[in-house]
Amino acid sequence: MDRPSGLYDIVAESGIVPEGLDLVAGLTGFTDAGAAVSQFGDYLLDTLDNRVIAEFDADVLLDYRARRPIITFDHDHLSDYQPQTLRLYLMSDELGHRFLFLNGFEPDFQWERFAAAVIELVQTFKVKTTTWVHAIPMPVPHTRPINVTVSGNRIELIDALSVWRPSTQAPANALHLVEYRLQELGHPVAGFVLLVPHYLADTEYPATALVAVESISAATGLIFPTDQLREEGRLFSSKIDEQVDSNAELARLVTTLEERHDTYMEGTSIRSPLTDVDGELPSADEIADELQRFLAGNRSGDDLPPGTVG
């Protein structure tokens, strides 16, 4: 394997990063239900002071055919080019406490070398803890709080916050490998998986970004501004509720999900509503299809929140 440090360039002057900071990470790629990670990253970078510390080599790590950069065609010439980026930032929370933030595209290639590069940065900056977030679609109702599954070696977070603890196999994220390697080294690491309503997985669901922020706060003690996310979430949820309330079939489907969710959360011996579906109960796909049909048939101007399926 080539040197991990060949994957990135340190672009800040030496000594600018204090030792012992928390590392927060979120990469977009294989799955990002509710656009949780992309919203989370954009929100932090838009609202907090930040400075690029290191930049990874996209030409080595990215499959451009799968995720093409955006160009702007202005009448008769190209006026802008927006490449995919993967960067390590030095940031400050609302109280001025500094932390590191790894954000951008999930690498398509050289995962082992990438993981080694992240570990090298963790060791270089003597990172205190590493916490990352991603999101997956699940058959859960939007009328209940978004829950999380926690992985890693921070048992206090798992015991306090992890709602769903399956024993299963699933396609990996590049940060899963980073977590696995850090865990082997005994470095404090936690991964938060947001469990997003399946029928809203293809939307920009503001509640997911809020839960991502709150999860990072719980793991690190960092404080982030959340008023904007909370307001966006209230507006989005009220629009969805209006659609559900005006469609009896859709309301029945959501009610069924609510009942299954509540039964599971009560800790009964009934099979997990997050996994198995009885033949008479609606599947997440059925709910998604019904919601899409309903919203498509009732779209009118600004009646729907941005990014709503349909």
Side-chain angles (χ1 to χ4, degrees):
M1 183 171 64
D2 292 337
R3 292 182 303 105
S5 59
L7 283 181
Y8 63 88
D9 290 320
I10 300 291
V11 297
E13 59 267 27
S14 176
I16 192 175
V17 180
E19 295 181 353
L21 300 183
D22 294 297
L23 171 62
V24 175
L27 304 181
T28 57
F30 174 66
T31 180
D32 186 16
V37 177
S38 57
Q39 290 186 90
F40 169 66
D42 290 344
Y43 190 69
L44 291 192
L45 292 172
D46 288 343
T47 58
L48 300 177
D49 291 337
N50 63 85
R51 180 170 184 173
V52 178
I53 298 300
E55 179 134 17
F56 283 81
D57 189 345
D59 279 350
V60 174
L61 295 173
L62 183 66
D63 181 356
Y64 285 93
R65 295 169 299 178
R67 288 182 282 181
R68 295 181 181 271
I70 301 299
I71 63 99
T72 299
F73 186 83
D74 190 2
H75 299 292
D76 57 2
H77 67 283
L78 304 181
S79 60
D80 190 31
Y81 172 74
Q82 300 177 27
Q84 296 269 3
T85 60
L86 175 52
R87 293 168 174 161
L88 180 68
Y89 299 86
L90 176 62
M91 306 188 69
S92 298
D93 75 354
E94 199 166 31
L95 299 181
H97 298 139
R98 286 182 286 187
F99 66 99
L100 294 170
F101 184 40
L102 179 64
N103 184 241
F105 65 85
E106 178 190 16
D108 295 307
F109 307 118
Q110 301 199 32
W111 276 23
E112 288 286 359
R113 190 177 175 210
F114 169 72
V118 174
I119 291 171
E120 188 172 84
L121 290 167
V122 165
Q123 294 172 337
T124 296
F125 297 123
K126 295 181 171 54
V127 167
K128 181 171 63 174
T129 69
T130 297
T131 311
W132 68 287
V133 293
H134 68 123
I136 61 174
M138 297 292 284
V140 293
H142 73 283
T143 52
R144 298 294 185 266
I146 294 175
N147 290 311
V148 299
T149 289
V150 187
S151 61
N153 56 12
R154 298 189 60 185
I155 303 302
E156 77 282 6
L157 295 175
I158 296 171
D159 289 344
L161 301 172
S162 192
V163 168
W164 185 48
R165 305 185 191 185
S167 179
T168 187
Q169 293 182 324
N173 183 299
L175 288 177
H176 279 121
L177 178 58
V178 172
E179 176 187 318
Y180 186 72
R181 297 294 182 226
L182 287 173
Q183 188 170 286
E184 289 180 324
L185 296 173
H187 174 80
V189 58
F192 285 85
V193 186
L194 280 59
L195 309 179
V196 178
H198 187 286
Y199 51 95
L200 297 177
D202 293 331
T203 73
E204 287 193 359
Y205 188 20
T208 61
L210 177 60
V211 174
V213 167
E214 292 175 338
S215 298
I216 296 300
S217 291
T220 63
L222 295 167
I223 304 299
F224 304 107
T226 58
D227 289 348
Q228 179 182 333
L229 288 177
R230 293 182 189 281
E231 180 61 23
E232 291 174 355
R234 282 191 289 267
L235 292 174
F236 185 96
S237 294
S238 67
K239 294 296 183 181
I240 294 298
D241 287 341
E242 289 175 9
Q243 311 305 327
V244 172
D245 291 343
S246 60
N247 183 291
E249 179 64 14
L250 189 56
R252 184 188 72 81
L253 298 178
V254 172
T255 297
T256 301
L257 276 188
E258 289 174 338
E259 293 171 352
R260 295 168 60 213
H261 172 277
D262 293 346
T263 298
Y264 177 71
M265 293 301 292
E266 288 172 1
T268 68
S269 59
I270 297 175
R271 289 186 308 178
S272 167
L274 304 178
T275 54
D276 301 320
V277 180
D278 185 276
E280 296 183 358
L281 297 179
S283 69
D285 286 337
E286 289 172 331
I287 291 178
D289 290 343
E290 178 65 22
L291 184 61
Q292 289 171 345
R293 285 195 299 270
F294 181 77
L295 294 181
N298 288 271
R299 176 169 296 181
S300 59
D302 297 328
D303 289 344
L304 301 179
T308 301
V309 294

